[in-house]
Amino acid sequence: MSSERPSPPTLPTHQAERIRRVESWLRQVAVLRDPDHPLGRAALEQLPQSTGLARESVAWALKHCFEVDTTNGDLAALVAATPVAPHAHVLLSANVFSSALRALALAIASSPRLSVRASRREPVMLELLRLASPSAFELVTELSPNPGDHLWLYGSDATLTEVTKLTAPGVSIHAHGTGYGVVALQLTEDSPLATLAAAVAADIAPFEQRGCLSPRRLLVDGPPDLTRRFALALVDAMSRVEQLLPVGLLAASELAEQRRWTQLAALSGELWPAGRGWVALPDEGRPLGLEPLGRCIALETSEQVPRLLAEVEPLLTTVAAFGPRGWLTELRSVAPRARHVAPGRMQSPPLDGPADRRLIPPARSGQL
């Protein structure tokens, strides 16, 4: 919860009230993070079954990605980034269970009246939030926003496009769709390879790379021998992380895609098992494309990392970068809408607004 209180002389009354509304809700749902509370115990028992994540990964996410501990400054930023609505509606995604907290916090900041539909693939988290805060929102099976209402959508671009087509004219739509994170490193002999590898491994492991903040590409600018040393350090780091956060259940389609990717990686360069995951180092000029889910990563070597980032900027949610200050500034300039963080910080952004700052262009004018 907030460590500071809003200051009435500096905050408009309506803004202070919205902050208090979110803060009060965060205080109620914080019990889900307490393993000694009945709802906390229920979360640890039920979420592994509904998400496929290992129990250890669920516990880690509740501790590190369930953003109930925040500052008044972050809440003020969240409120400032959120429009006021007579009625807010939310369609949740199943990929990252803890993301429901941020999605609902944004909607609660927008309106005291809230309707939420859970993902059909993962309804447990929303039910736990409802039990922790019975009066905060209405749990519905279908969303029916009226003109003037605001609708927050989370999921794949294809799903959100279909929902948008069926939404009444005059509804303001905030659509957060397909996206991913990228790690960008400029390595020199002075770079702390083991420390960087541990940080990148910590970004890769949570949620089996299913979340939009998870790294799906690793871009490296550095000498070949140093890049290979970093790859081997990453293999070791990912194996160590797996001892703390075991790999969860992967779908048959995810395993099939992983097999195809590893076969291509083995033909394109070097490939190492990293626990149940994989690290690949393709030969220069032979990119493997977007990595599959399940803790797989390839080191794409290039002296043109800023250009590669610029090419995928519309899909970028987060860039975890390490390098000299001027290079980091250039990365920010080519990907201005992404969150830019240090390696190891991709999965836990502050509760200062949407985690994903991009918006899908509206299917029809006037919706955003």
Side-chain angles (χ1 to χ4, degrees), residues 5-76:
R5 290 294 178 185
S7 174
T10 59
L11 285 176
T13 302
H14 70 281
Q15 186 177 1
E17 173 54 35
R18 294 167 70 198
I19 289 175
R20 284 193 292 270
R21 194 161 66 220
V22 177
E23 192 175 33
S24 174
W25 182 71
L26 293 175
R27 188 177 298 111
Q28 293 178 61
V29 300
V31 297
L32 296 180
R33 207 174 63 170
D34 180 0
D36 295 323
H37 190 280
L39 288 178
R41 290 196 296 272
L44 288 175
E45 292 298 326
Q46 298 176 25
L47 286 169
Q49 300 174 41
S50 66
T51 64
L53 297 173
R55 182 187 175 96
E56 294 89 342
S57 293
V58 168
W60 183 93
L62 288 170
K63 181 177 180 180
H64 297 282
C65 305
F66 198 62
E67 307 100 335
V68 293
D69 292 323
T70 187
T71 68
N72 190 62
D74 289 340
L75 290 181

Side-chain angles (χ1 to χ4, degrees), residues 265 267-270 280-288 299-301:
L267 295 173
S268 302
E270 295 188 90
L281 181 58
D283 296 334
E284 188 172 359
R286 301 186 69 180
L288 301 179
L299 282 70
E300 302 177 49
T301 57

Side-chain angles (χ1 to χ4, degrees), residues 188-203:
T188 68
E189 286 295 338
D190 295 329
S191 300
L193 298 187
T195 300
L196 281 174
V200 174
D203 286 331

Side-chain angles (χ1 to χ4, degrees), residues 38-299:
L39 288 178
R41 290 196 296 272
L44 288 175
E45 292 298 326
Q46 298 176 25
L47 286 169
Q49 300 174 41
S50 66
T51 64
L53 297 173
R55 182 187 175 96
E56 294 89 342
S57 293
V58 168
W60 183 93
L62 288 170
K63 181 177 180 180
H64 297 282
C65 305
F66 198 62
E67 307 100 335
V68 293
D69 292 323
T70 187
T71 68
N72 190 62
D74 289 340
L75 290 181
L78 181 143
V79 166
T82 308
V84 175
H87 190 171
H89 307 256
V90 179
L91 172 63
L92 293 175
S93 169
N95 288 342
V96 175
F97 74 86
S98 58
S99 66
L101 181 131
R102 186 182 297 262
L104 267 62
L106 287 164
I108 288 170
S110 177
S111 175
R113 185 182 179 196
L114 174 58
S115 299
V116 188
R117 200 194 92 183
S119 164
R120 292 187 175 91
R121 290 190 291 123
E122 203 297 281
V124 170
M125 187 64 198
L126 187 57
E127 176 61 17
L128 291 169
L129 289 168
R130 186 191 67 79
L131 291 172
S133 56
S135 62
F137 60 89
E138 177 189 18
L139 182 59
V140 299
T141 56
E142 296 296 336
L143 295 172
S144 303
N146 295 315
D149 291 349
H150 285 241
L151 172 61
W152 275 263
L153 301 175
Y154 300 88
S156 68
D157 286 357
T159 297
L160 303 194
T161 297
E162 288 303 310
V163 174
T164 298
K165 290 178 181 178
L166 299 175
T167 302
V171 175
S172 294
I173 296 180
H174 310 269
H176 296 273
T178 302
Y180 56 84
V182 169
V183 176
L185 308 175
Q186 190 175 90
L187 300 179
T188 68
E189 286 295 338
D190 295 329
S191 300
L193 298 187
T195 300
L196 281 174
V200 174
D203 286 331
I204 291 171
F207 310 109
E208 313 306 351
Q209 292 175 288
R210 294 188 181 104
C212 70
L213 302 180
S214 295
R216 300 288 298 280
R217 296 181 71 180
L218 172 50
L219 310 178
V220 182
D221 179 356
D225 62 327
L226 195 61
T227 300
R228 189 176 188 276
R229 282 161 51 196
F230 175 77
L232 293 173
L234 183 57
V235 169
D236 182 65
M238 288 174 60
S239 299
R240 291 176 182 274
V241 167
E242 190 173 317
Q243 296 175 22
L244 301 175
L245 302 178
V247 177
L249 180 66
L250 299 177
S253 59
E254 294 170 339
L255 290 171
E257 181 60 27
Q258 192 177 102
R259 285 193 294 271
R260 287 191 290 270
W261 183 84
T262 54
Q263 290 168 359
L264 176 61
L267 295 173
S268 302
E270 295 188 90
L271 176 69
W272 299 276
R276 287 179 59 192
W278 297 89
V279 174
L281 181 58
D283 296 334
E284 188 172 359
R286 301 186 69 180
L288 301 179
L290 195 64
E291 281 85 345
L293 304 176
R295 308 192 193 185
C296 298
I297 201 75
L299 282 70

